[in-house]
Amino acid sequence: MGTLVCRIELDKQKGVILTVENGSDKITQTIVMDGTNIQTTVSGSDGASTITQDQNGITIDCKSFVLNAETIECNSSRTTDLTSGEGTTIVGQDVSVSADSGVDVSAMNVKVDGDAETKISGLKLTLSGKNAAEFKAGSIKVNSQGMMDLNGGGMLKIKGAIVNIKNLKNIS
């Protein structure tokens, strides 16, 4: 790193401007305090990053944002939006998602995998497919504590190497 050029400007209209120029690396660092906000900018041949703070918030514009901490806690009293133009990955030893009123998951394809056990439960469980629905496993058990309805709008087929129907009373 070569010699730095450092400037401090005090102006009653522009505010305070601190500038550090690194000519050998072609990087300029600027802090501007104009009485309404503070803007910190680092610019060079690869681009620029800017942090702007005013009385209502902080905005960070950059190519890459990395946050390293032992603990991170984010709270918002209103909405929280996370948007990615490409992929989004959440990784953790244990990950919990909860909401007071609802959780919506939608995508062209949704995949849920559990390496040991996968449980889905609710007061009322509805599974539907617009064109088809399939259940596949080495063993499938369907249990009902009350009445069970099997309805087919067309033909209903029951097929197995052995079919055992117990307590048969009425077929109509």
Side-chain angles (χ1 to χ4, degrees), residues 37-52:
N37 66 54
I38 300 171
Q39 188 173 67
T40 304
T41 304
V42 177
S43 60
S45 58
D46 291 339
S49 64
T50 303
I51 302 170
T52 304

Side-chain angles (χ1 to χ4, degrees), residues 14-15 32-39 52-57:
K14 294 179 185 177
V32 178
M33 295 179 279
D34 66 5
T36 59
N37 66 54
I38 300 171
Q39 188 173 67
T52 304
Q53 179 179 358
D54 64 19
Q55 64 183 343
N56 293 317

Side-chain angles (χ1 to χ4, degrees), residues 18 21-22 24 26 30 33 55 58-60 80 90 94 97 99-100 102 116 132 136 144 146-147 167:
L18 305 172
E21 293 177 350
N22 178 344
S24 61
K26 298 180 183 170
T30 308
M33 295 179 279
Q55 64 183 343
I58 299 171
T59 302
I60 300 173
T80 301
I90 299 172
D94 291 311
V97 177
D100 290 337
K136 290 183 179 181
S144 174
M147 186 171 91
N167 299 328

